[in-house]
Amino acid sequence: MTADADRTIPAARRWQAVDTAGGGLPLDLGLYAVSAVFAAVTAATSTLLPHRAWGTLATIGYALAALAAAGQLLARRRRPGTPLSGLRARWAVTGFAWATTALLPVVAQSIQRTGGRTDRAQEEVVVVEHAGARLAEHGTPYLGHDAIAALPPGEQLLGYTPYQPGMALFGLPRAAADAWWTDARVWFALVTALALAAAVLALRTTAGPAAPRRDAAVLRAVQAATVLPVCALTLATGGDDLPVLALCLLALALAAAGRPGRAGLAVGAAGALKLFAWPVAVVLVCWALTRRAGLRTALGALGLPVLALLPVLLVDRDALVENVLRFPLGHGLVTSPAQSPFPGHLIATALPAGRLIAAALLVAVAVAIAVRLLRRPPRTAAATALICGYGLLAAILLMPSTRFGYLLYPLALLVTAPALALAERRPDVAP
């Protein structure tokens, strides 16, 4: 029950060998160098202007981080054990990389947008801010079917808010004042940073011989949720997925620390923002049942999203259904532009009855995961993260309408699993 995932899964052992080689510095260097190339290509070739603006700044940040990692690697080879190549120094470079490749672009694009640039934010930023304004004025972030139909055809897509009601809270600052700091992305970044900091604190509460390995694994998990280009780019240009991801990681960290009630509250907060967190909540409740804490976890994991839905359900039920159900399922007035060339999209567009085939495959995956949960519920936070990661990866690949950026969820969950395994509390230790 408490066995480390990296001892029981061959793939995890191989990952550990790559991750720990050279004190983790070669992988750091590779991450920053490849990311710099990705950012440079994005700056030169992307058709999305916010992405190009991100790439211009991020290329410099990643390049400087790569130079720092190369210097650390050289220092380690010349004098093993030097603090310049230690874990604290690696944390410093990671913090610098996130500040220059995510936080700095967020501030820069927010300032430019407030100054009149209309090409410095993706549609989801505008949608969330409009939702916040409607929440403050009407008590619901959603427009009904007739109200969306009355919009000009080019604005109907922005009339939809395909998020849970809690996401509108990030739009409330813009409803109160028009300033750079009221940009929704600034608040996405703040909540993301706070949730990740709390997750790191939860994972580092236990001491023991595995602490150095655990702390290195925690750093790698943080890198996957922050400086990985799919995360940094998403935060800088859109950002709504990052607080959801960070709260899910916090929930898993609290589960590893033996705090199922708080884990339920964290994943419940994520579920009140976006549907992507709901599968994580279900798997986490299954984990809690093995600890005889199912009710405590479920109260937060399922209760918070329900509480967020109740007020808007009472204000305008049809508007809620139109935005949260009909539009994501492809039955709205307009269709979602999320069409990355993953297998589900290719099947849906290239084969006769392709949407039915893709849907059947998606249902088959869901049934397989449900059977696995019933027969062998996860008994560790690491196993929970692995099930969530692989399950979301399968869902993203098979959904007819999806985005490349959604891959940040499974990538971060899978990379976090070793840190969870090394930080896991024994079930006989009181929370």
Side-chain angles (χ1 to χ4, degrees), residues 271-351:
L273 302 179
K274 203 165 186 178
L275 280 172
F276 258 105
W278 288 26
V280 179
V282 171
V283 181
L284 196 61
V285 169
C286 292
W287 162 84
L289 289 171
T290 68
R291 301 293 185 96
R292 297 181 180 179
L295 180 59
R296 271 190 294 161
T297 305
L299 283 175
L302 307 179
L304 283 182
V306 171
L307 287 177
L309 286 169
L310 281 178
V312 297
L313 187 66
L314 295 174
V315 172
D316 193 337
R317 181 186 62 184
D318 291 337
L320 174 66
V321 173
E322 177 71 22
N323 286 263
V324 177
L325 293 179
R326 292 192 188 121
F327 177 72
L329 293 175
H331 298 296
L333 293 170
V334 291
T335 57
S336 171
Q339 296 181 349
S340 296
F342 291 141
H345 175 68
L346 297 177
I347 291 171
T349 56
L351 297 180

Side-chain angles (χ1 to χ4, degrees), residues 3 60-61 79 110 118 122 128 192 208-209 225 265 293 321 323 357 366 386:
I60 300 172
R79 188 159 65 92
S110 299
T118 59
Q122 290 188 174
V128 170
T192 299
L265 290 173
V321 173
N323 286 263
I357 296 174
L386 291 174

Side-chain angles (χ1 to χ4, degrees), residues 6 13 38 102 104 108 112 170 188 199 216 234 256 282 312 320 353 355 358:
D6 60 345
R13 289 200 300 268
F38 177 89
L104 178 61
Q112 292 170 357
F170 292 97
F188 291 149
T234 299
V282 171
V312 297
L320 174 66
R355 280 193 169 270

